[in-house]
Amino acid sequence: MSTPIGDYALLADLHTGPLVSRHGSIDWLCLPRFDSAAVFAAILGTEEHGRWLMAAAEGTVTDQHYEPGTFVLRTLWRTATGEAEVIEFMPIADDRADLVRQVRCLSGHVRIEHDLRLRPEYASALPWVHRMDGEDPFLRAIAGPDAYVLRGPSLEAGDNCHTGSFDLTEGQTHEWVLTWVPSHAEDPEPLDVTEALTRTRSYWQDWSKQISVAGRWSEAEHRSLLVLRALTHAETGGIVAAPTTSLPEDPGGVRNWDYRYCWLRDSALTLEALLLHGRTETALHWRNWLLRAVAGDPEDLQIMYGVGGERWLDERTLDHLPGHLDSRPVRIGNGAVTQFQADVVGEVLIALAKIRDAGLEEDDFSWPLQRSMLRYVTRHADSKDQGLWEMRGDPHYFTHSRVMMWAALDRGVRAVTDTGLDGPAEQWAQLRDRLRAEILSEGVNAETGGFTQTYDNTEVDASLLQIPQTGFIDYDDPRMLATVAQIERELKQDGLLLRYRTTTGTDGLSGHEYPFLVCSFWLVEQYAHTGRIDDATALMDRLVGLTNHVGLLAEEYDPAGDRQMGNFPQAFSHLGLVRAADALQAAIQNHEPSEHDLHPAVDPEESR
């Protein structure tokens, strides 16, 4: 039986992101990078696909939490004979790839048991493991290009695993360090765990102290900003959408995707969230990543890249893995890399405009690159696309995509007229205005007065909630209010929003999915900007209540099963939380009761 997605905690060293279950099993670990092959993949199968269990024998977990402002994880175990605390972390700010597990007996006596199953290359290879004796004995496992060194009290070889039981009495401490190195490299020196823990705590705490958040949801917002930082690669500046692959949107179905890459859209929106909270150095780091990744012919622009800017992300399946909750296929790579998604340049240019607004100057490379991206927009102004949600059906004119193309051109015009940068502002303005007229003609339903998902249907899509965020229209524009009303009628499931109705077949996939969390956060933001403070607050409280025991959110939520679904933790969900918290807190501070607050609408689903 798969461990529920929401039962995991994330560890982070700004290079990768392993997942540790509430009960002491590391079931997902890619080394040395987010998009490297996994050595522990039990989350997509069973323990035979790789895991490292460290638990108190016949014990129960009474608490698990991060040290404030960090990704240092503490887990408290209680047994009939005593208590023990486990500290787990990945050292930061060095050139190593280490995972540290330290256990200390707090009272009485406790037996700690290990079950280590190294399975490199997504469990397609068994490593050659041997013990290195001497003054500092350790285990060394090799498989192809990868080597793994385990230091700590000795584990014994079993049937393709290493196990051990260790009795600790009050005050005793044991620690284990798993280190990745290239298989051709020298064995790493032992890690100074005390120094590494001090350094790691200091890094995260110093970073956290520079974040300013306030209000009712400040704790959740602060953790979300930390998650966004944790999903940023320290050297390249690339921001991954999630550290996992193929955690299902539809258990037992085919909606399983690899999110360990850098979507321009997701990265741009993440950048905005960090920038608004004072992290300008992250903004510049990401801008430099962007410049390197997309440099060249604008016609070669992709919607996503590898962590280092790699272009080849071919999608393939791992048929030997049964998948989380038997959801197959398990995929690595992502076929959406070849799609045309017309909205992407808009999100990127909005983010880069905000960098300018923050006082960070363009350099000799950044503005010319933005001009080339605008040329890309003008050349594809009449092209249909696959939309924000990466539909695998036929291309359409998605209204959200057309608005984002408008936004790209609008930011280009403003860059010239407001800041004096060079460019064909008149040409961009003409196309911008043509797009606006087209959208208001073709993308609005004549009967409802609201926006439509595509020009050729009358469906609504939660992406339409982003329209006022671009400045295309006001949040309280009648067309937007009509759109919101239809979204509330047709996309709500147990009070949360679906992305769109999968029954229409527009996405070209079988099966269904659960409410997509960022969409509900967008609705909070919409409510906040239109005076619906009570509705916004109630929904925000509900959403924040869905975070797991350490404050993390997956991509989706299954209301009936009360479980998180999809890749985890998901940057999109956490940046949605940050935006919604900021918008709602500002609205509360400036709020005067509206007629809607005095006579709120009744949700037809909730009234039944």
Side-chain angles (χ1 to χ4, degrees):
M1 188 67 182
S2 299
T3 298
I5 292 167
D7 275 6
Y8 286 97
L10 174 74
L11 302 182
D13 67 349
L14 303 182
H15 293 87
T16 189
L19 298 183
V20 187
S21 79
R22 193 195 298 254
H23 301 294
S25 185
I26 299 176
D27 291 341
W28 182 250
L29 174 61
C30 301
L31 287 171
R33 238 170 58 158
F34 293 107
D35 52 356
S36 299
V39 64
F40 299 142
I43 199 170
L44 298 175
T46 71
E47 64 270 15
E48 286 304 317
H49 298 108
R51 66 105 182 257
W52 183 7
L53 175 68
M54 188 178 83
E58 300 181 1
T60 58
V61 172
T62 59
D63 181 58
Q64 188 175 67
H65 66 274
Y66 292 120
E67 292 184 4
T70 78
F71 281 96
V72 176
L73 185 70
R74 288 181 174 266
T75 306
L76 187 65
W77 289 87
R78 179 175 296 158
T79 73
T81 60
E83 286 187 322
E85 183 179 54
V86 174
I87 296 177
E88 298 166 281
F89 68 101
M90 294 195 77
I92 208 164
D94 61 16
D95 58 356
R96 296 171 54 122
D98 299 298
L99 194 159
V100 180
R101 311 190 83 177
Q102 182 185 81
V103 58
R104 180 166 62 96
C105 183
L106 301 178
S107 64
H109 60 90
V110 177
R111 172 166 290 183
I112 299 298
E113 296 183 333
H114 285 254
D115 185 289
L116 174 66
R117 299 169 189 257
L118 293 163
R119 300 291 189 269
E121 294 292 332
Y122 303 103
S124 67
L126 277 174
W128 178 57
V129 184
H130 60 292
R131 186 179 306 282
M132 306 294 290
D133 294 319
E135 292 184 9
D136 176 35
F138 57 88
L139 287 180
R140 192 173 200 267
I142 299 174
D146 302 304
Y148 306 90
V149 170
L150 179 69
R151 284 189 166 90
S154 180
L155 303 183
E156 298 300 321
D159 184 13
N160 293 325
C161 66
H162 284 77
T163 60
S165 294
F166 305 91
D167 293 313
L168 284 77
T169 58
E170 183 174 339
Q172 283 189 308
T173 299
H174 284 342
E175 56 196 27
W176 290 262
V177 180
L178 181 67
T179 306
W180 173 90
V181 291
S183 59
H184 63 271
E186 296 287 334
D187 292 327
E189 292 295 320
L191 180 74
D192 184 335
V193 172
T194 300
E195 185 279 332
L197 180 56
T198 299
R199 170 168 34 89
T200 300
R201 279 182 179 136
S202 295
Y203 173 84
W204 286 114
Q205 290 169 353
D206 290 346
W207 197 90
S208 296
K209 288 174 183 175
Q210 297 177 57
I211 297 173
S212 176
V213 291
R216 182 167 172 168
W217 305 279
S218 59
E219 184 177 348
E221 186 176 9
H222 191 268
R223 175 53 56 183
S224 291
L225 288 162
L226 278 164
V227 170
L228 297 178
R229 176 56 179 161
L231 298 181
T232 304
H233 192 271
E235 274 78 44
T236 71
I239 303 170
V240 298
T244 56
T245 181
S246 298
L247 297 184
E249 299 170 12
D250 180 19
V254 301
R255 295 169 182 260
N256 318 311
W257 316 110
D258 193 347
Y259 278 9
R260 297 171 300 153
Y261 306 112
C262 304
W263 272 254
L264 297 187
R265 173 195 308 112
D266 297 38
S267 297
L269 294 171
T270 298
L271 167 69
E272 288 183 49
L274 293 170
L275 188 63
L276 289 173
H277 290 271
R279 303 310 316 206
T280 54
E281 85 293 344
T282 303
L284 285 175
H285 202 190
W286 176 80
R287 190 178 76 177
N288 291 337
W289 172 88
L290 173 73
L291 299 178
R292 295 191 303 271
V294 308
D297 188 337
E299 284 303 308
D300 294 332
L301 182 71
Q302 296 183 176
I303 64 164
M304 72 176 90
Y305 296 85
V307 172
E310 296 86 355
R311 304 181 65 87
W312 295 99
L313 310 177
D314 294 351
E315 184 173 295
R316 55 197 188 278
T317 62
L318 302 179
D319 295 333
H320 63 285
L321 290 175
H324 187 85
L325 296 176
D326 297 319
S327 305
R328 304 179 73 180
V330 171
R331 294 181 171 94
I332 57 174
N334 200 306
V337 69
T338 62
Q339 287 186 354
F340 171 56
Q341 296 174 19
D343 66 298
V344 168
V345 174
E347 275 110 358
V348 169
L349 291 189
I350 288 172
L352 292 176
K354 289 189 175 180
I355 291 178
R356 282 196 302 273
D357 293 342
L360 303 177
E361 295 183 358
E362 301 286 359
D363 60 29
D364 293 339
F365 194 2
S366 63
W367 176 242
L369 184 69
Q370 290 171 70
R371 287 189 55 170
S372 74
M373 296 176 81
L374 285 163
R375 286 196 298 274
Y376 180 84
V377 171
T378 60
R379 291 174 186 173
H380 291 275
D382 297 316
S383 300
K384 297 179 180 180
D385 80 316
Q386 306 301 138
L388 167 69
W389 307 124
E390 301 179 351
M391 305 291 199
R392 298 207 172 192
D394 294 331
H396 294 270
Y397 289 121
F398 285 90
T399 301
H400 168 267
S401 296
R402 307 299 282 174
V403 170
M404 286 298 172
M405 293 177 79
W406 171 91
L409 294 159
D410 181 68
R411 284 357 180 237
V413 171
R414 292 188 191 183
V416 174
T417 59
D418 296 351
T419 65
L421 292 167
D422 63 304
E426 185 175 342
Q427 175 191 344
W428 294 337
Q430 289 175 352
L431 180 54
R432 177 195 63 183
D433 297 343
R434 192 198 90 188
L435 273 172
R436 179 178 178 82
E438 172 205 292
I439 293 162
L440 296 179
S441 172
E442 304 297 325
V444 175
N445 186 328
E447 293 185 8
T448 66
F451 292 102
T452 58
Q453 181 187 45
T454 70
Y455 285 180
D456 57 0
N457 71 26
T458 57
E459 293 288 316
V460 283
D461 186 308
S463 66
L464 300 172
L465 293 169
Q466 286 195 303
I467 291 177
Q469 296 175 13
T470 69
F472 183 81
I473 58 171
D474 292 332
Y475 287 90
D476 58 358
D477 185 287
R479 289 162 293 201
M480 198 62 222
L481 297 181
T483 305
V484 172
Q486 188 177 352
I487 285 173
E488 290 173 318
R489 289 193 303 270
E490 298 181 6
L491 298 186
K492 269 194 175 181
Q493 184 179 98
D494 193 27
L496 303 174
L497 288 191
L498 300 166
R499 293 189 290 182
Y500 50 84
R501 297 200 299 183
T502 57
T503 53
T504 65
T506 303
D507 65 10
L509 295 166
S510 61
H512 301 286
E513 61 184 39
Y514 299 112
F516 203 80
L517 291 172
V518 74
C519 301
S520 295
F521 283 119
W522 291 341
L523 187 59
V524 170
E525 191 172 347
Q526 171 68 30
Y527 285 163
H529 282 286
T530 52
R532 296 177 62 174
I533 304 300
D534 290 346
D535 291 337
T537 300
L539 182 54
M540 189 68 180
D541 284 341
R542 170 90 184 279
L543 290 164
V544 170
L546 301 181
T547 60
N548 75 352
H549 61 292
V550 289
L552 305 182
L553 287 170
E555 183 178 18
E556 299 182 356
Y557 176 73
D558 169 15
D562 187 23
R563 58 183 178 174
Q564 299 201 38
M565 297 302 301
N567 283 305
F568 172 90
Q570 176 81 343
F572 228 14
S573 299
H574 284 281
L575 68 88
L577 189 156
V578 171
R579 285 189 60 111
D582 287 345
L584 183 48
Q585 186 60 31
I588 289 171
Q589 291 175 347
N590 300 319
H591 179 58
E592 295 181 5
S594 67
E595 182 178 349
H596 189 280
D597 288 319
L598 299 175
H599 305 285
V602 177
D603 187 326
E605 286 190 14
E606 295 174 356
S607 66
R608 285 198 294 268

